[in-house]
Amino acid sequence: LDLKLGNICNAKCRICSSFASSQWAREELKINPQNESARKFNKLGMWPKTNEDFWKDIDTHLQGIEKLEFFGGEPLLIERHFEILERCVELNVAQNIRLAYNTNASIFPQDKIELWEQFKKVEIFISIDDVNARFEYIRHPGNFSEVITNLGYFDKLNKDVFDIGIFQTISIFNIMHMNELTTLIDNHFKDIKIHYNMVFTPSHISPKVLPKRVKEKVTALYGDNPADHVAKTLSFMNGEDYTHDEYVNFLTQTKNIDKFRKEQFEETFPELFKLIEKDWNGIQ
């Protein structure tokens, strides 16, 4: 049973949108109060708070469930989802159910560990796309140090019950730094595996949107024998060219959001900025 419990979130990641983040919706409405799409998603994303029938009806679906998947938004912010887990325990089905989460690791719910331990398996996949300042730019207002601290807490959980992994999503922003997170994790978290995702949409931040000349420079950066995950991502990037309009959209959107958030793409990603500086400066 895949449960997307709304868009309630404490982050507004550059690779996300108001569809999956209440923080994005609020920012878009601040920038443009007439943004009806953001207003719509902001309202629809709050459905767990307004649909009481769902919480009453969920009991009828728990018998025979083998796996519960929780997505958001940020699922660990949705306190009420723990009621579902408590109900599984009460119905004596928890030991038959695997749980799966996709979380930004801004939260470590120490008080829920004993509840989780009553389930067959708990898979926790943590979204980390880069390191240090680049991470904090991509996953604003995330704090890289806090996330790594919480990753350490997750890593210390009972490995008979908990399976901890990382989802690294490759976008324009981290296309030139695909190995740094892998190196950090390999050096400090031997039991944690990284799973690599690639941005298709929003299309204006997919690596596919980069001009061919930039793609060639990025590809050459990794040499003749890149790591497997890098080779697959480069193949993904080079396999299709998104429209020039979407590239212009990337430049325009990035500049506008930088201005609103008081961030600077050119300082955070100087290597990529050097490759697109002429295009960047040509956009007002």
Side-chain angles (χ1 to χ4, degrees):
L1 185 61
D2 179 353
L3 295 174
K4 293 180 172 65
L5 298 177
N7 70 346
I8 298 168
C9 194
N10 56 359
K12 40 188 175 183
C13 306
R14 294 277 180 149
I15 60 174
C16 194
S17 69
S18 53
F19 174 79
S21 167
S22 56
Q23 291 297 319
W24 252 119
R26 290 170 189 167
E27 179 170 289
E28 289 177 0
L29 287 170
K30 285 180 181 178
I31 294 172
N32 177 15
Q34 306 306 316
N35 189 328
E36 291 304 320
S37 176
R39 193 178 306 281
K40 174 184 174 183
F41 287 132
N42 198 36
K43 182 177 179 180
L44 291 177
M46 298 298 167
W47 73 263
K49 290 185 175 182
T50 59
N51 189 341
E52 196 62 31
D53 287 343
F54 165 79
W55 301 100
K56 295 176 182 177
D57 185 58
I58 191 66
D59 274 16
T60 65
H61 299 283
L62 297 178
Q63 295 289 348
I65 287 290
E66 296 181 4
K67 187 175 184 180
L68 286 171
E69 295 187 345
F70 294 101
F71 298 91
E74 170 48 53
L76 298 184
L77 272 179
I78 304 170
E79 279 287 327
R80 201 169 176 186
H81 96 272
F82 289 110
E83 294 179 15
I84 299 173
L85 307 191
E86 291 165 354
R87 189 62 181 144
C88 289
V89 173
E90 293 171 5
L91 294 172
N92 198 33
V93 297
Q95 68 274 12
N96 303 320
I97 298 176
R98 291 179 294 136
L99 304 178
Y101 291 86
N102 190 354
T103 175
N104 61 26
S106 61
I107 301 162
F108 180 74
Q110 179 64 56
D111 60 330
K112 304 300 182 182
I113 302 305
E114 289 185 7
L115 175 60
W116 274 344
E117 287 176 334
Q118 298 184 67
F119 287 80
K120 184 177 182 179
K121 196 77 175 178
V122 183
E123 301 167 355
I124 297 175
F125 296 102
I126 297 168
S127 296
I128 307 176
D129 302 325
D130 212 324
V131 301
N132 301 318
R134 293 192 302 271
F135 167 88
E136 294 176 356
Y137 180 102
I138 296 170
R139 292 196 168 267
H140 180 102
N143 181 298
F144 184 69
S145 178
E146 289 180 1
V147 167
I148 292 302
T149 296
N150 286 337
L151 182 63
Y153 295 149
F154 281 115
D155 189 40
K156 289 181 173 64
L157 296 175
N158 182 351
K159 290 178 173 55
D160 290 334
V161 177
F162 293 90
D163 183 10
I164 311 300
I166 290 173
F167 281 147
Q168 182 182 20
T169 300
I170 307 298
S171 66
I172 283 182
F173 298 110
N174 56 358
I175 190 68
M176 296 186 74
H177 300 276
M178 287 188 274
N179 286 325
E180 294 182 40
L181 177 65
T182 300
T183 300
L184 183 149
I185 298 302
D186 286 348
N187 287 342
H188 298 283
F189 301 96
K190 301 295 185 183
D191 296 323
I192 296 180
K193 292 182 179 180
I194 301 181
H195 307 269
Y196 303 92
N197 298 322
M198 304 166 202
V199 173
F200 289 87
T201 58
S203 53
H204 69 278
I205 56 169
S206 171
K208 289 176 177 287
V209 86
L210 289 169
K212 186 175 181 180
R213 72 177 195 281
V214 178
K215 291 182 178 181
E216 290 173 352
K217 295 286 188 181
V218 172
T219 301
L221 173 69
Y222 292 99
D224 295 330
N225 296 293
D228 184 59
H229 71 279
V230 174
K232 289 179 179 177
T233 304
L234 294 176
S235 177
F236 166 81
M237 176 184 73
N238 291 317
E240 182 181 7
D241 296 321
Y242 283 177
T243 68
H244 179 69
D245 286 347
E246 287 292 1
Y247 177 54
V248 173
N249 191 23
F250 160 71
L251 298 171
T252 304
Q253 293 278 10
T254 303
K255 277 192 166 187
N256 289 342
I257 297 169
D258 275 3
K259 184 177 180 180
F260 188 83
R261 297 183 183 178
K262 296 180 172 56
E263 295 177 328
Q264 290 186 298
F265 170 85
E266 59 268 39
E267 290 191 3
T268 310
F269 304 92
E271 300 87 354
L272 180 57
F273 178 73
K274 185 177 179 180
L275 299 181
I276 67 170
E277 184 173 2
K278 183 177 178 181
D279 301 332
W280 179 274
N281 291 334
I283 297 293
Q284 299 302 318

